[in-house]
Amino acid sequence: MPRLLVIAASANGGTLSITAPFHNDGETSDLDPDDALDTMTVLTLAAVVGGGAVIRTKLADQTSEVMGWKLVEFYAKPLSASEIFSAYCTDAVTGELIAPEWGVKYVAAPRLTV
């Protein structure tokens, strides 16, 4: 299944983000080695200063599922379906609600164990 991993780190009033496409097939995932290194760098920064991670999965019917985690002090807090919906459907500048994307289902993220 094709997926996108987006990591964002927020510090000093700015945001650094990276998007890495990967393919998941059961228990294995394929990610370009250069993308993996860059992604781990931003993930480490986000884990230290705060940020978030989102996985977007393209489904066979051309719809998508989106789930996310809030990253704080090396902990990934799973977001509920309503929290990820709110994050995607609120204008970051104005705080106004915006229409959700067509064909996107916002789902609760699972708890991560490392």
Side-chain angles (χ1 to χ4, degrees), residues 7-107:
I7 306 286
S10 301
N12 299 326
T15 301
L16 174 65
S17 65
I18 190 164
T19 302
F22 69 99
H23 185 80
N24 181 269
D25 193 13
E27 292 187 19
T28 62
S29 295
D30 293 319
L31 177 66
D32 178 88
D34 292 331
D35 285 345
L37 180 60
D38 293 342
T39 301
M40 290 306 297
T41 301
V42 177
L43 179 60
T44 301
L45 178 63
V48 172
V49 301
V54 172
I55 292 180
R56 183 180 199 119
T57 304
K58 187 71 125 182
L59 303 174
D61 64 1
Q62 298 306 307
T63 62
S64 296
E65 284 187 348
V66 176
M67 66 180 72
W69 297 263
K70 181 177 181 180
L71 304 173
V72 180
E73 298 178 357
F74 293 98
Y75 178 74
K77 177 195 175 283
L79 298 178
S80 67
S82 62
E83 288 172 316
I84 195 70
F85 177 88
S86 180
Y88 265 76
C89 299
T90 303
D91 185 286
V93 176
T94 67
E96 297 289 320
L97 291 177
I98 54 177
E101 294 178 65
W102 179 88
V104 175
K105 181 178 178 183
Y106 303 93
V107 298

